[in-house]
Amino acid sequence: MTASYRLSSLCITTSIFSSHGTRQMKVRLTGFGGLSTFIRPPLHRLKSTPCALSSSVLFSSSSPPASQSHQVPLFLRVPKYATPVSDLQKWYSWASDLAASVGSTFLVSDNGPDSSLLCRELRWLLEDALQEDIDPSLIHQVGVNSAQREVNLKTGIEDLYKLWIQRIEERRPFQYIVGCEHWRDLVLCVQEGVLIPRPETEIIIDLVADVISSNRVLKEGFWADLGTGSGAIAIGTARALGGCGTVIATDLSPVAVKVASFNVQRYGLQGVVEVREGSWFEPLKDVQGKLAGLVSNPPYIPSENIPGLQAEVGRHEPKLALDGGVDGMDHLLHLCQGAASMLRTGGFFALETNGEKQSKLILDYMEKEHRGTFYNAKAVPDFAGVLRFVTAFRV
Amino acid sequence: MEVLFRPTNATAAASELSLKPPRSGCLVHRVNQGLVFLHLKSYYLRSFSFCTLLPPSSHSFTSAIHSVPDSRVSEEVSSDSREWALQDFYSLRRDVEIVSNRVEEIRSSAGLEQLERELVDLELKASDSSFWDDRTKAQKILLALNDVKDKIKQLSDFKTQVEDAETIIKLTEEMDSVDGGLLEEATDIIKELNKALDRFELTELLSGPYDKEGAVISITAGAGGTDAQDWADMLLRMYMRWGEKQRYKTRIVEKSMGEEAGIKSATIELEGRYAYGYISGEKGTHRIVRQSPFNAKGLRQTSFSGVEVMPLLPEESMDVEIPEEDLDISFSRAGGKGGQNVNKVETAVRITHIPTGVTVRCTEERTQLANKIKAMSRLKAKLLVIAEEQRASEIKQIRGDVVKAEWGQQIRNYVFHPYKLVKDVRTGHETSDIISVMDGELEHFIKAYLRYKYTKSSNGED
């Protein structure tokens, strides 16, 4: 269980494992400054400096401090705030107006959400804030009876005003507002410091399910999700494995480790998914050459694109999970290289990329640098037809 | 259905009654009656068009008047009670006439002769020596046999019962006295019979394979900008009200707001028995004519909204396999860089069944996967319904051109200006009480349509 790794000259102390022999590792970070060298994969070092600079700068400036505990998402809180329906209706109509006032300005400025998407979010916010047995359509019901009624909310009405202002004025992502993201058939808790899982990534689980449906050996083996974030891919994979096999999820960010661990517990997968803190393959020394599968959605956005990102993404989501270096390839190539040594014979790997260009570069790289190491390598499109994924098997 | 029958017969009765000049000796009572009848007449004459189609009333009212001697009516002492008895008798007799017609109507539309032929056929099969060789088949035949027997028995029970009531009426007419007990009995018979007929008609009219299920109603604003979007919103409210009145569990599952006012589209789910059976006839294009509040010049404007209705079917009940190559699945999160670059709650999924062109869209769920599953199940439900409508045994046999024409058919006009009128294009049913209709009073329209559909299908079979 113990994964030990040497950290460069950094002041990180690790104390590993509780008395239960569980998998969660506690790491205390006492400084961020030098971490860029740590997250930088070997290949990265060969590349030009700007990206190293930018990633270190961005990381240290925007990454939130590791809090002691994860935040409880709205939908999991206790509905203890009794609120008159009329007040709720007032808030809802205020929030709808605010959403409507946005029109398509966000869309035009940075491809952000338009009014209709914001209205959808608003409906979901209401859904999460309401006590479970209350039908959200009460918001549209007029009449004295319903307006005088009280309903229980999971947060105060003032907080709802505050949250919606954050949503519109600060462009704080909806998923951070409600503290969760619905992804496949899962509801995953997320918070600042953790990448919000994207719908495209849902397909990775289908790819895994396809592979294991006809391969018992892979189904029962060790799988790894590198840079797990909220734990989405790891949990999805574990459920696809259906009780066989084990998934090890790693992340460099302590916040991500906490959030992922919480999500794993919420789905009762403590015995199946093991969350380890550390960079890419570092915490996986014990399973080198034994992995049946390796899946990852690593940071792949080219550094120069970061400033122009949609505000919800660029201003609020962790750069650590987005910035892929100069051409966005740094981590992808590192993972590709690592896969060669980590996977067992016949092992499967799947990576998400920024699209066709990166997918082709990876395929080229595998062909040139790892000739004879992989077979059946191919780019797989997402639902929009973008060649979003690269999959291959270890010879 | 009684709604349709009562007025017609009553119109006949009422007009006959009111034509009868009051006679001396019982002037007061006659005037009273006249008032009552006048009232009835004005109420029922609105549906006069029906009356012309009806056979003349079998009982002549005149004989009834004669059979009740004037002296009895004009007696002062117990005039109150006797007046009531007389009134009761009139109304009872009218009821009996109505029910008698209703029974005849039902017996003919239920295809009694056909049923009897079926019975003979099934009994023949059941008496075959090899009948029990195939147990499952035998069970099926026995079940069908029971059903047919039940139905025939019900139909003949209706006839006997209504004949009993008719006998009492005749007897009363012929006798020179009113037997309260007998009339009471006839009243009870009619009451029970009406209930039984209602039940029978309901099961007959709502006998489609999905009629018992809940329903999904999708409303889409047609071309016409804000006015059409406002119209879609009005329809949404109308169906919500209707659903609530029926005590169905009513839920707006999706609502896409219009830019200025109203909605672009909305989807409601109604849970409850027979929701689909009742509301399925609402599918089609609904047209509004009014002075649009969104038209600066206040000109008269016509807008359209489309309504689609599908049964709310549990996944396991849908035994349909649709080949993947027949499906065109598109996601709203297309275009742009996608992936990590974008964070938008675009989870909408749209599925088109290529051979028929039938399309469904699902946006209400919070994940793409969930929307895809839901869209698939809606698509299946829709295809099943269309297959049933076209009497196709397989999805493959559905004719797409017909679907397009039928599902977009204009079914109802709502005129707010220059006069007020809601008129169903198919059944001809109409009302000027547009406010009640918009408040969800759809019962008459729904029943008229069910009736229309039933007559159409039984004619079609003949």
Side-chain angles (χ1 to χ4, degrees):
Chain A
M1 287 292 268
T2 311
S4 60
Y5 50 94
R6 221 175 62 79
L7 300 162
S8 49
S9 60
L10 277 176
C11 34
I12 294 182
T13 55
T14 52
S15 65
I16 305 171
F17 301 137
S18 64
S19 51
H20 305 299
T22 49
R23 45 272 113 196
Q24 188 171 339
M25 147 186 336
K26 293 185 181 119
V27 176
R28 199 157 58 84
L29 292 178
T30 49
F32 287 116
L35 271 179
S36 59
T37 52
F38 174 56
I39 55 164
R40 239 188 292 148
L43 202 112
H44 197 146
R45 291 198 190 108
L46 306 172
K47 298 243 164 184
S48 53
T49 39
C51 68
L53 251 179
S54 76
S55 94
S56 110
V57 167
L58 289 165
F59 180 40
S60 56
S61 66
S62 72
S63 184
S67 58
Q68 286 312 299
S69 65
H70 69 89
Q71 291 160 13
V72 180
L74 189 56
F75 80 103
L76 286 179
R77 293 185 212 164
V78 184
K80 57 181 179 189
Y81 301 84
T83 312
V85 171
S86 57
D87 283 6
L88 192 61
Q89 287 177 332
K90 223 177 279 168
W91 166 77
Y92 195 85
S93 104
W94 164 83
S96 304
D97 288 348
L98 196 57
S101 73
V102 169
S104 52
T105 50
F106 296 169
L107 184 70
V108 172
S109 77
D110 61 14
N111 192 31
D114 64 1
S115 293
S116 69
L117 288 183
L118 290 169
C119 283
R120 188 177 294 165
E121 292 179 5
L122 180 60
R123 248 188 347 266
W124 293 347
L125 171 58
L126 175 70
E127 220 173 272
D128 278 8
L130 270 177
Q131 178 188 336
E132 280 82 5
D133 55 342
I134 304 289
D135 182 355
S137 64
L138 74 99
I139 214 74
H140 306 293
Q141 281 161 16
V142 278
V144 188
N145 286 342
S146 57
Q148 279 172 349
R149 232 175 88 199
E150 280 201 342
V151 285
N152 279 348
L153 298 181
K154 294 177 178 179
T155 189
I157 191 93
E158 325 76 50
D159 195 37
L160 286 180
Y161 277 98
K162 211 171 72 198
L163 288 172
W164 197 245
I165 286 180
Q166 287 175 353
R167 176 70 193 100
I168 304 292
E169 291 183 359
E170 296 168 22
R171 305 280 303 272
R172 188 178 174 211
F174 166 72
Q175 296 86 346
Y176 291 158
I177 300 271
V178 291
C180 74
E181 167 71 333
H182 291 232
W183 191 82
R184 287 187 71 89
D185 51 347
L186 307 169
V187 183
L188 299 161
C189 302
V190 292
Q191 68 184 56
E192 265 85 0
V194 176
L195 184 81
I196 298 158
R198 304 291 200 262
E200 283 88 346
T201 314
E202 295 186 356
I203 293 176
I204 290 190
I205 308 303
D206 294 332
L207 298 174
V208 170
D210 269 1
V211 166
I212 58 175
S213 67
S214 58
N215 192 326
R216 185 119 207 115
V217 178
L218 292 188
K219 191 171 181 179
E220 287 164 358
F222 284 107
W223 285 70
D225 169 21
L226 303 186
T228 193
S230 62
I233 301 178
I235 293 169
T237 302
R239 283 158 66 98
L241 294 175
C244 320
T246 308
V247 183
I248 305 165
T250 73
D251 206 294
L252 179 62
S253 152
V255 185
V257 167
K258 267 182 201 126
V259 170
S261 304
F262 177 75
N263 283 323
V264 166
Q265 272 171 29
R266 238 175 63 74
Y267 284 96
L269 293 167
Q270 298 94 315
V272 187
V273 182
E274 186 184 313
V275 186
R276 297 180 181 180
E277 183 171 321
S279 173
W280 303 132
F281 299 104
E282 294 274 2
L284 292 176
K285 297 263 159 69
D286 57 331
V287 287
Q288 181 147 21
K290 294 182 196 161
L291 285 181
L294 193 160
V295 280
S296 180
N297 174 22
Y300 55 62
I301 298 178
S303 300
E304 59 171 6
N305 293 355
I306 298 279
L309 284 175
Q310 184 194 335
E312 281 81 0
V313 181
R315 276 193 229 158
H316 297 272
E317 290 195 275
K319 301 289 179 293
L320 180 64
L322 299 169
D323 194 334
V326 176
D327 51 6
M329 293 293 291
D330 292 2
H331 305 289
L332 286 167
L333 294 180
H334 177 59
L335 287 173
C336 214
Q337 191 187 39
S341 65
M342 294 305 290
L343 287 173
R344 57 178 288 169
T345 300
F348 171 76
F349 94 101
L351 297 175
E352 180 173 325
T353 77
N354 204 22
E356 184 172 343
K357 196 174 148 201
Q358 289 190 354
S359 293
K360 288 201 166 142
L361 280 172
I362 295 170
L363 292 176
D364 280 354
Y365 172 79
M366 285 198 293
E367 180 63 23
K368 286 194 191 110
E369 308 289 321
H370 294 279
R371 180 177 284 276
T373 314
F374 300 104
Y375 66 98
N376 234 346
K378 60 181 176 190
V380 179
D382 63 14
F383 45 73
V386 176
L387 290 175
R388 175 76 54 196
F389 311 98
V390 172
T391 63
F393 291 88
R394 179 75 171 86
V395 171
Chain B
M1 274 329 89
E2 62 207 298
V3 206
L4 276 181
F5 284 117
R6 279 228 174 99
T8 50
N9 277 301
T11 317
S15 41
E16 232 179 291
L17 286 168
S18 55
L19 288 174
K20 198 79 200 153
R23 294 183 306 153
S24 58
C26 54
L27 194 61
V28 181
H29 309 296
R30 287 295 138 89
V31 169
N32 278 347
Q33 283 165 22
L35 279 174
V36 172
F37 294 140
L38 216 65
H39 172 73
L40 276 174
K41 187 184 174 191
S42 66
Y43 177 78
Y44 284 120
L45 272 183
R46 268 187 261 165
S47 46
F48 194 75
S49 54
F50 290 100
C51 148
T52 52
L53 299 171
L54 273 163
S57 156
S58 54
H59 298 274
S60 142
F61 184 72
T62 349
S63 69
I65 298 292
H66 285 306
S67 69
V68 185
D70 286 355
S71 59
R72 287 174 45 82
V73 184
S74 56
E75 263 172 28
E76 289 287 281
V77 196
S78 55
S79 75
D80 251 25
S81 65
R82 247 181 291 109
E83 187 188 86
W84 269 112
L86 187 61
Q87 289 278 21
D88 279 352
F89 176 72
Y90 290 152
S91 84
L92 174 64
R93 212 187 56 167
R94 202 165 59 233
D95 286 349
V96 172
E97 262 176 43
I98 292 163
V99 172
S100 169
N101 275 334
R102 203 175 159 199
V103 167
E104 271 320 300
E105 181 87 10
I106 281 180
R107 279 167 63 90
S108 73
S109 65
L112 192 60
E113 284 172 27
Q114 168 79 21
L115 282 171
E116 276 160 355
R117 275 200 299 276
E118 252 174 70
L119 181 66
V120 174
D121 187 43
L122 287 168
E123 275 173 338
L124 205 70
K125 276 185 191 159
S127 61
D128 197 290
S129 57
S130 64
F131 180 66
W132 286 106
D133 293 357
D134 184 345
R135 283 195 77 86
T136 16
K137 202 177 149 201
Q139 292 286 6
K140 256 190 195 162
I141 291 176
L142 283 185
L143 274 179
L145 187 65
N146 265 337
D147 275 357
V148 173
K149 270 187 186 163
D150 267 1
K151 221 166 166 183
I152 292 176
K153 183 173 182 305
Q154 274 189 53
L155 289 170
S156 58
D157 281 355
F158 293 156
K159 194 161 175 69
T160 350
Q161 280 166 18
V162 83
E163 278 168 0
D164 286 351
E166 278 170 342
T167 311
I168 293 173
I169 297 295
K170 271 200 194 112
L171 219 61
T172 310
E173 282 169 356
E174 280 157 17
M175 286 191 313
D176 267 4
S177 68
V178 175
D179 183 331
L182 266 183
L183 288 181
E184 195 75 20
E185 198 187 321
T187 314
D188 285 348
I189 291 174
I190 294 302
K191 219 165 98 186
E192 287 308 309
L193 193 51
N194 262 324
K195 278 190 203 158
L197 290 171
D198 281 347
R199 273 197 300 273
F200 186 85
E201 273 187 339
L202 189 76
T203 48
E204 280 294 294
L205 293 175
L206 300 176
S207 61
Y210 310 114
D211 284 354
K212 271 199 213 65
E213 309 291 342
V216 183
I217 306 176
S218 313
I219 302 160
T220 316
T226 310
D227 192 60
Q229 291 176 356
D230 185 54
W231 173 226
D233 204 7
M234 287 161 75
L235 286 174
L236 171 66
R237 183 177 169 279
M238 178 176 93
Y239 289 122
M240 286 296 287
R241 285 287 173 98
W242 178 80
E244 281 156 18
K245 274 182 197 171
Q246 306 297 308
R247 299 188 181 276
Y248 290 134
K249 207 175 148 214
T250 311
R251 208 160 67 93
I252 299 180
V253 292
E254 183 265 337
K255 194 171 169 185
S256 162
M257 309 301 288
E259 282 90 8
E260 280 176 59
I263 54 166
K264 285 180 192 158
S265 67
T267 306
I268 324 171
E269 279 183 10
L270 303 173
E271 276 176 57
R273 280 175 65 75
Y274 287 106
Y276 178 73
Y278 282 120
I279 206 74
S280 58
E282 292 294 300
K283 78 159 194 252
T285 301
H286 297 241
R287 171 174 173 262
I288 186 177
V289 180
R290 64 169 170 180
Q291 271 181 314
S292 172
F294 304 100
N295 187 319
K297 288 176 191 158
L299 293 176
R300 201 149 64 99
Q301 191 169 340
T302 299
S303 290
F304 301 88
S305 278
V307 173
E308 273 191 21
V309 187
M310 281 162 271
L312 193 58
L313 294 177
E315 182 61 39
E316 61 275 12
S317 75
M318 287 186 283
D319 187 19
V320 202
E321 280 298 322
I322 303 171
E324 196 130 324
E325 63 267 24
D326 282 358
L327 297 173
D328 178 19
I329 306 182
S330 58
F331 301 86
S332 65
R333 205 178 152 90
K337 287 179 180 161
Q340 289 166 8
N341 300 277
V342 181
N343 173 15
K344 287 203 246 183
V345 292
E346 297 168 307
T347 55
V349 175
R350 193 184 139 98
I351 308 183
T352 303
H353 183 241
I354 301 164
T356 57
V358 170
T359 297
V360 291
R361 188 162 175 273
C362 192
T363 58
E364 66 239 35
E365 298 295 330
R366 280 164 80 158
T367 82
Q368 204 136 255
L369 184 75
N371 273 329
K372 189 179 156 191
I373 291 170
K374 196 148 201 180
M376 258 327 271
S377 104
R378 293 228 173 112
L379 179 72
K380 282 182 185 173
K382 198 165 166 181
L383 289 173
L384 280 172
V385 168
I386 295 169
E388 196 246 327
E389 280 173 356
Q390 297 192 2
R391 293 169 199 240
S393 55
E394 280 178 60
I395 300 296
K396 265 190 267 172
Q397 298 175 347
I398 291 176
R399 292 171 46 216
D401 49 333
V402 182
V403 176
K404 219 169 178 185
E406 277 179 359
W407 285 59
Q409 189 196 26
Q410 188 179 315
I411 64 152
R412 200 174 297 147
N413 289 311
Y414 304 72
V415 182
F416 285 74
H417 183 84
Y419 49 89
K420 292 194 184 341
L421 182 74
V422 184
K423 181 164 183 164
D424 197 290
V425 178
R426 303 159 302 181
T427 60
H429 184 76
E430 61 177 56
T431 175
S432 57
D433 190 1
I434 200 163
I435 303 295
S436 296
V437 172
M438 296 317 295
D439 272 341
E441 281 297 337
L442 296 174
E443 203 187 327
H444 296 326
F445 282 99
I446 288 173
K447 286 195 169 170
Y449 175 73
L450 288 175
R451 182 84 227 161
Y452 159 84
K453 189 173 94 176
Y454 184 65
T455 327
K456 218 171 97 175
S457 72
S458 46
N459 287 346
E461 269 161 16
D462 286 345

